[in-house]
Amino acid sequence: MGRGSHLFSGSGRLTRTHAEMSKEATEAENAFRNNPKFQRLVTPSASCFATTCGVERQVGHCHPLVVQAAHEQNQVLNTNSRYLHDNIVDYAQRLSETLPEQLCVFYFLNSGSEANDLALRLARHYTGHQDVVVLDHAYHGHLSSLIDISPYKFRNLDGQKEWVHVAPLPDTYRGPYREDHPNPAMAYANEVKRVVSSAQEKGRKIAAFFAESLPSVGGQIIPPAGYFSQVADPRVSHLLCHRHIRKAGGVFVADEIQVGFGRVGKHFWAFQLQGKDFVPDIVTMGKSIGNGHPVACVAATQPVARAFEATGVEYFNTFGGSPVSCAVGLAVLNVLEKEQLQDHATSVGSFLMQLLGQQKIKHPIVGDVRGVGLFIGVDLIKDEATRTPATEEAAYLVSRLKENYVLLSTDGPGRNILKFKPPMCFSLDNARQVVAKLDAILTDMEEKVRSCETLRLQP
């Protein structure tokens, strides 16, 4: 269930042995097989894990309809994608119905990293350019090509390549342009313009602007309204930064790997939060697309796809788009629709935001609560004036929550942002239970330390 890191305390110590907790968590998976909407893992010892980190389990752990779809197709045929099968055609058609009509060519792969790597290739073939503009603290995957465009990773490895250009994260809580700025969207978009201009002065040519529609690893960021889109002319609506990128000859790649498939509630895709007229050139999908099954997708416009095809180099992926993978993908779409999980994300997400907002009023350590749908971040601070990240406090809190059977983790440069991205069947009761435990632990922390001083886990 989830990633192994969720079983560790913030200091790297274990409150129980890894084997004990892994055994309980593994056995607990059975709880989902007969009731997919039950988002607590009930262990043999009657402990309950409430999972609030589950973008890869979009419709719930072990959803029976998804499991059944994979099993039934496995019993019939699973082969590589050189052999055309109805499932891949049906699946591409269903995905196309969720996207703007311009995004009509689909490439199927096995992971989000593969998807972003292909998107980079597509952008470069289409533009004939090499360079990429990315947001600070971004993470786009584990392949070498993607580590190079992920400041979250490359700053701790080989550093920034000359063909990579980093724009400030559009963070209105911690960034250079905050909530009191008269127009943070324009200010951050002008930073993209500045980055592009600086690159061009050095003779560089921009192939793409790569961005998560809602930056996740950067700290559950909600870009300011208008950062991506500007309605200056009723006939034309482009990203402010897209306008700068297009002018430089580049394309826009929307990374939806952690935020797509109805998670934001209001829309099926997070990029649609920027307005109905905004259409990226390329969209990448992963994680939630297969509810835990290894499948991913790249959607592109016809011009981008044709330029790639014109190279004469065939694109082939052995298991990408296999009959089983597409059967799983179709089942996920069916569940999202049948169980109305997009609307559910709106209602439960709004309720969870209200509960967390009450925690902000009650506990000084909670500096900011931000989110949309079931994509929510809680920014923990040491001091209201400086907004210094409460890194160790966050680690302590996550460890205490784990001891209370709530699996939560942190993100952001300071590792101080509590991230709430649960399976989309996360319920109102789940929200109440999780926030009640969060409240109790924060209250206990305040009793032990009368201010947000550094907390250290006891051995």
Side-chain angles (χ1 to χ4, degrees):
M1 68 152 283
R3 296 177 180 142
S5 61
H6 292 165
L7 300 178
F8 287 84
S9 69
S11 66
R13 301 187 186 91
L14 288 168
T15 53
R16 290 186 288 156
T17 69
H18 183 265
E20 288 172 339
M21 294 193 74
S22 294
K23 181 175 182 292
E24 287 196 355
T26 300
E27 292 172 334
E29 288 285 354
N30 292 327
F32 289 96
R33 292 193 176 138
N34 295 320
N35 188 356
K37 300 203 80 167
F38 186 59
Q39 284 312 293
R40 293 180 296 162
L41 300 182
V42 183
T43 70
S45 63
S47 303
C48 296
F49 287 97
T51 173
T52 61
C53 304
V55 291
E56 71 283 355
R57 299 287 184 176
Q58 192 83 338
V59 300
H61 297 258
C62 306
H63 196 291
L65 295 183
V66 178
V67 172
Q68 180 183 4
H71 177 63
E72 290 181 351
Q73 186 58 52
N74 259 318
Q75 288 184 309
V76 178
L77 175 70
N78 193 25
T79 185
N80 72 59
S81 55
R82 287 190 189 277
Y83 302 98
L84 190 62
H85 189 276
D86 286 347
N87 281 3
I88 193 170
V89 178
D90 293 343
Y91 189 35
Q93 177 62 40
R94 285 287 300 279
L95 281 176
S96 72
E97 292 168 4
T98 71
L99 289 159
E101 61 181 7
Q102 296 95 317
L103 293 161
C104 57
V105 181
F106 299 87
Y107 302 87
F108 293 99
L109 315 94
N110 304 296
S111 72
S113 289
E114 283 191 6
N116 279 339
D117 179 72
L118 177 58
L120 184 58
R121 290 174 59 193
L122 289 169
R124 284 173 167 168
H125 279 296
Y126 177 67
T127 63
H129 300 167
Q130 176 78 7
D131 291 25
V132 178
V133 177
V134 295
L135 295 176
D136 205 0
H137 310 300
Y139 174 64
H140 293 290
H142 64 81
L143 299 180
S144 295
S145 61
L146 304 176
I147 294 295
D148 286 344
I149 63 170
S150 299
Y152 168 72
K153 290 291 186 181
F154 71 58
R155 289 210 169 98
N156 296 315
L157 296 170
D158 298 329
Q160 185 173 338
K161 300 290 193 297
E162 64 177 355
W163 53 270
V164 177
H165 312 281
V166 181
L169 189 68
D171 182 353
T172 57
Y173 185 70
R174 295 188 170 279
Y177 311 109
R178 300 186 174 184
E179 66 274 9
D180 57 351
H181 191 280
N183 193 341
M186 181 67 74
Y188 279 115
N190 284 337
E191 288 293 328
V192 175
K193 180 181 180 181
R194 178 188 58 78
V195 168
V196 170
S197 297
S198 177
Q200 291 176 322
E201 288 171 3
K202 299 173 184 176
R204 311 299 305 188
K205 295 183 178 180
I206 305 300
F209 179 90
F210 245 88
E212 284 186 282
S213 301
L214 297 175
S216 302
V217 172
Q220 305 293 101
I221 303 300
I222 310 298
Y227 172 63
F228 283 168
S229 59
Q230 178 192 32
V231 186
D233 183 320
R235 298 167 298 175
V236 180
S237 180
H238 290 306
L239 296 180
L240 288 170
C241 50
H242 197 185
R243 186 174 61 190
H244 303 315
I245 295 298
R246 277 284 179 87
K247 187 177 179 181
V251 298
F252 187 94
V253 180
D255 181 339
E256 291 271 337
I257 291 167
Q258 294 206 54
V259 297
F261 290 89
R263 175 161 296 279
V264 300
K266 296 178 181 179
H267 301 282
F268 200 79
W269 304 105
F271 73 78
Q272 292 171 321
L273 292 167
Q274 302 301 328
K276 65 179 181 178
D277 294 324
F278 165 57
V279 181
D281 301 286
I282 301 170
V283 173
T284 60
M285 315 165 200
K287 294 188 187 297
S288 54
I289 188 174
N291 207 55
H293 182 86
V295 60
C297 181
V298 175
T301 63
Q302 281 280 9
V304 170
R306 285 173 182 156
F308 189 57
E309 183 182 359
T311 64
V313 178
E314 178 191 23
Y315 171 75
F316 175 67
N317 189 306
T318 303
F319 295 111
S322 73
V324 170
S325 291
C326 290
V328 167
L330 283 164
V332 171
L333 292 179
N334 288 338
V335 172
L336 286 168
E337 182 178 339
K338 179 181 178 181
E339 299 184 6
Q340 300 180 323
L341 293 182
Q342 186 177 330
D343 289 340
H344 183 78
T346 297
S347 59
V348 176
S350 295
F351 180 68
L352 181 55
M353 284 280 288
Q354 290 174 11
L355 294 181
L356 293 170
Q358 293 168 8
Q359 297 302 299
K360 181 178 182 295
I361 295 171
K362 183 176 181 180
H363 301 290
I365 194 174
V366 179
D368 189 39
V369 176
R370 51 184 176 261
V372 58
L374 286 174
F375 177 91
I376 298 171
V378 176
D379 198 316
L380 302 184
I381 59 174
K382 289 179 179 289
D383 177 80
E384 184 175 5
T386 62
R387 300 183 180 180
T388 303
T391 303
E392 292 185 279
E393 291 85 348
Y396 176 86
L397 176 59
V398 166
S399 180
R400 288 282 305 277
L401 284 166
K402 179 204 59 182
E403 292 170 358
N404 283 270
Y405 304 100
V406 174
L407 299 181
L408 189 67
S409 59
T410 59
D411 253 333
R415 303 298 299 174
N416 65 303
I417 315 297
L418 304 180
K419 57 179 179 180
F420 290 79
K421 291 183 286 189
M424 285 175 59
C425 46
F426 192 78
S427 69
L428 295 174
D429 283 342
N430 294 151
R432 291 188 189 95
Q433 292 159 7
V434 168
V435 177
K437 291 183 177 182
L438 178 70
D439 181 28
I441 295 169
L442 288 175
T443 299
D444 182 62
M445 288 168 61
E446 290 168 352
E447 290 176 355
K448 290 180 177 177
V449 281
R450 306 252 171 180
S451 64
C452 293
E453 297 173 358
T454 298
L455 295 169
R456 297 204 178 269
L457 294 168
Q458 298 302 314

